[in-house]
Amino acid sequence: LTAVLRLNGCDAREARNTGDVVRAVNETRPAVLVVDLDMPGEDGCALIRRVRRLPTPPAVLVVTGHTAQGVRLAATQAGASAYLLKPADPVELARLVGQLCRA
């Protein structure tokens, strides 16, 4: 996903666990955060709530393999702006990130 976003002009960075995500968000203040709900560390929805409480929170795009409607609802209630199922279509990913950046 990082490579797809970079090829589409985004300054995309990777984080391997939720602690790295929080550090990166605090350091770089991204407009959009793309997350999986199953990263090592804390629960994905807890991570979304934590990031959305920041003074200038990024929009959150969830990219995950979870298909259950309840998981999607929980992510949305936590503050996710958009949700894509894996494997994410590269064109749709770039379109959504661009849309969220402009919002």
Side-chain angles (χ1 to χ4, degrees):
L1 297 181
T2 304
V4 167
L5 292 171
R6 285 179 180 159
L7 286 171
N8 282 278
C10 297
D11 179 18
R13 299 174 188 192
E14 274 182 38
R16 301 273 180 198
N17 59 59
T18 59
D20 290 345
V21 170
V22 172
R23 275 189 292 284
V25 168
N26 283 322
E27 290 171 6
T28 64
R29 304 287 184 203
V32 178
L33 176 64
V34 179
V35 298
D36 190 333
L37 296 177
D38 290 326
M39 294 181 70
E42 68 188 300
D43 169 72
C45 289
L47 172 65
I48 295 168
R49 284 190 294 275
R50 186 172 171 189
V51 168
R52 295 295 298 157
R53 284 193 302 263
L54 294 171
T56 54
V60 178
L61 168 58
V62 173
V63 179
T64 187
H66 289 286
T67 59
Q69 184 64 24
V71 174
R72 183 181 202 136
L73 180 61
T76 302
Q77 288 175 338
S81 303
Y83 193 96
L84 286 175
L85 289 176
K86 286 182 180 179
D89 176 83
V91 173
E92 182 66 4
L93 174 68
R95 185 192 69 75
L96 270 175
V97 168
Q99 180 182 333
L100 292 170
C101 281
R102 289 186 295 276

